[in-house]
Amino acid sequence: MSQIIRSRKTERTLLWVVLTIVAAIFAVFLYTFNPWTTQWRNHSSDWVQITSKKSIIHVGSNDSFATTQDGIMAGKLVLDFLENKQPDSGKAAIEIYNRIIPRENYGGEYSALQWFCEYLLAGEKDKQKYLSDKFVASFYDFFAEKNFARLKEYIKRKYKLETFADQDTQVGENRKAFLEDFILFNNPRREEWEKTSKVINSLNLKPGQSIADIGSGPGYYTFKFSQLVGKKGRIFAIDTVQKHLNYVNQLSQKYGINNVKTVKTGGDTIGLDANQVDLAFMCSLYHNIYGMSTDYDIDNFVNSIKNSLKKNGKLIVVDNGLVKDSELPYHGPYIAKELIIAQLKNYGFKFVKDYAFIPQRYVLVFQKI
Ligand SMILES: C[S@@+](CC[C@H](N)C(=O)[O-])C[C@H]1O[C@@H](n2cnc3c(N)ncnc32)[C@H](O)[C@@H]1O
């Protein structure tokens, strides 16, 4: 009798073991071949997780760089400091920026304007430290020339503190955009929020390489690349705005830099010949190409990048993802990186890897195939 009970128990145990194995095999099968789970496992490259009502792409700067009461007040104080040499105004502006930088929607100009106030309030020795980098010194000179004429003009245009005859025209808009772009891209505090040096380290640049800096602006990255690729290397600073390129040419001349060549384009292609560069670099531009161009324009633009790259050449896209407001060091346009990865895959670029040195900004590495 006890033998019969024992063999029943063994049978039941065996049955459970078999059932468990079958269930496990079924689960593995489902996990491996079910398209839904497959997509989820791959979500880092072709899935965008939507967690809020916010758009996953934002291209314009119209609303992201909106002015606020506190921003206007700080701007007025900086202007008073510049015009009437009132140190208390500079100090009060710094205080306001300390308060609003962590919480407000701004494009980088606050930290740059705060930098000007701190520089002007510093003692002589510290002033030298502020300008020890020659490119920062040139940025300073650009705005300080003729008793801070350009900096005052920027503040007045930005915060509408004076009426300009051209302010409601395209010419006036372009002028304001140029001054704002200049202050944002060459902001001496950019390293602090962007960790620029880490971005550049991740590129593993070698002497002798040639690089297309697409949408170079006034050359923030161009000149850093130029130092790393050396005399035998070459940097093409490519932009649609001639004034940015003029500044790049002026600095190249001033500092005897011979490996930078500027290329003015209409924006439809990057304007280079075939097989010219080892690396194409695009910082804060692809969101615009993705969101604002027709299919025809994207075809031309991306194919011209591909054409300019040498065999196995790399394309680097640096842009901003959507993160929580509390993690934002810079409130510019943004685009989910998955959109770029998917689009460039379809243009025949292999996605190699990505980096992120701050929550918001990513570096995507692609290879021409
Ligand atoms: C946001 S800025 C970034 C500047 C620079 N890459 C940086 O990170 O400092 C974008 C730049 O791209 C330029 N740009 C816009 N559309 C372009 C196009 N289709 N081709 C080349 N440059 C373009 C703009 O004039 C501007 O200087």
Side-chain angles (χ1 to χ4, degrees):
M1 184 67 182
S2 75
Q3 245 182 352
I4 294 173
I5 293 172
R6 228 180 293 139
S7 81
R8 288 239 169 99
K9 249 187 180 171
T10 316
E11 265 173 30
R12 238 179 289 146
T13 313
L14 256 176
L15 188 68
W16 273 114
V17 169
V18 170
L19 278 177
T20 310
I21 291 171
V22 170
I25 291 171
F26 186 63
V28 169
F29 176 84
L30 260 188
Y31 184 71
T32 312
F33 296 107
N34 182 322
W36 192 81
T37 53
T38 311
Q39 282 164 337
W40 264 103
R41 267 178 290 121
N42 293 337
H43 85 275
S44 64
S45 71
D46 18 45
W47 268 68
V48 187
Q49 211 178 346
I50 313 284
T51 54
S52 78
K53 66 178 169 47
K54 291 207 172 174
S55 308
I56 53 173
I57 171 167
H58 169 65
V59 289
S61 55
N62 289 344
D63 64 339
S64 67
F65 299 163
T67 54
T68 64
Q69 282 311 312
D70 282 339
I72 295 169
M73 175 57 74
K76 281 182 181 167
L77 287 164
V78 179
L79 193 61
D80 187 50
F81 186 25
L82 296 172
E83 286 184 335
N84 304 314
K85 311 276 179 278
Q86 292 288 343
D88 284 348
S89 298
K91 287 178 196 161
I94 290 172
E95 285 298 304
I96 295 181
Y97 288 132
N98 281 339
R99 196 160 39 79
I100 63 179
I101 282 174
R103 66 167 159 82
E104 269 201 11
N105 210 7
Y106 75 106
E109 72 282 9
Y110 286 174
S111 54
L113 292 171
Q114 191 182 40
W115 179 90
F116 275 107
C117 293
E118 287 176 9
Y119 168 81
L120 292 169
L121 288 167
E124 275 318 307
K125 248 191 171 170
D126 283 336
K127 275 196 165 122
Q128 283 174 15
K129 276 192 220 150
Y130 273 80
L131 303 186
S132 57
D133 177 314
K134 64 184 177 194
F135 295 103
V136 172
S138 291
F139 164 86
Y140 174 80
D141 290 344
F142 176 86
F143 280 110
E145 215 179 75
K146 297 190 183 139
N147 195 18
F148 292 97
R150 287 197 183 101
L151 191 57
K152 290 177 192 166
E153 182 190 345
Y154 167 65
I155 295 169
K156 287 174 186 169
R157 283 186 186 268
K158 168 82 181 178
Y159 299 111
K160 298 195 169 48
L161 304 179
E162 195 176 296
T163 307
F164 290 83
D166 63 5
Q167 69 185 29
D168 296 323
T169 68
Q170 195 55 49
V171 174
E173 272 306 308
N174 290 348
R175 176 71 182 160
K176 190 176 91 178
F178 169 69
L179 292 170
E180 176 137 289
D181 286 351
F182 200 98
I183 206 165
L184 303 186
F185 308 157
N186 280 353
N187 179 354
R189 295 253 150 95
R190 186 166 169 176
E191 167 73 38
E192 284 170 38
W193 73 260
E194 184 186 50
K195 311 288 177 231
T196 312
S197 44
K198 290 189 178 175
V199 172
I200 291 179
N201 275 346
S202 74
L203 306 182
N204 200 17
L205 300 183
K206 303 266 185 325
Q209 282 187 316
S210 52
I211 300 175
D213 184 6
I214 307 166
S216 64
Y220 181 74
Y221 273 99
T222 298
F223 290 114
K224 295 181 192 299
F225 294 158
S226 142
Q227 280 167 350
L228 290 167
V229 301
K231 281 186 186 151
K232 290 194 176 150
R234 170 150 283 217
I235 313 299
F236 296 95
I238 301 163
D239 210 286
T240 48
V241 176
Q242 186 61 50
K243 277 193 172 158
H244 286 319
L245 300 178
N246 291 346
Y247 182 76
V248 171
N249 286 331
Q250 273 165 27
L251 287 201
S252 295
Q253 225 175 352
K254 182 173 171 188
Y255 297 126
I257 295 168
N258 298 317
N259 62 358
V260 170
K261 185 178 185 317
T262 54
V263 181
K264 161 88 169 71
T265 69
D268 46 348
T269 70
I270 65 163
L272 296 186
D273 293 335
N275 302 314
Q276 256 188 308
V277 293
D278 300 289
L279 193 123
F281 177 87
M282 224 189 300
C283 180
S284 294
L285 174 58
Y286 206 86
H287 59 265
N288 227 40
I289 305 297
Y290 189 100
M292 303 287 281
S293 307
T294 61
D295 288 347
Y296 176 79
D297 289 339
I298 302 180
D299 284 352
N300 283 338
F301 190 78
V302 177
N303 285 330
S304 79
I305 296 174
K306 216 171 158 188
N307 188 46
S308 75
L309 281 168
K310 294 178 189 168
K311 191 164 178 258
N312 295 327
K314 290 208 174 112
L315 166 62
I316 312 293
V317 178
V318 180
D319 226 303
N320 302 312
L322 175 60
V323 292
K324 286 185 212 127
D325 276 358
S326 57
E327 290 178 340
L328 282 176
Y330 162 77
H331 299 251
Y334 57 76
I335 175 169
K337 66 180 179 186
E338 290 80 358
L339 301 180
I340 301 180
I341 293 172
Q343 183 161 78
L344 287 176
K345 237 188 227 174
N346 284 289
Y347 277 104
F349 282 96
K350 182 177 147 202
F351 173 56
V352 182
K353 58 178 144 182
D354 59 344
Y355 301 95
F357 304 108
I358 55 169
Q360 177 192 21
R361 184 148 272 211
Y362 49 76
V363 179
L364 307 176
V365 182
F366 298 91
Q367 188 160 34
K368 172 178 169 170
I369 48 173

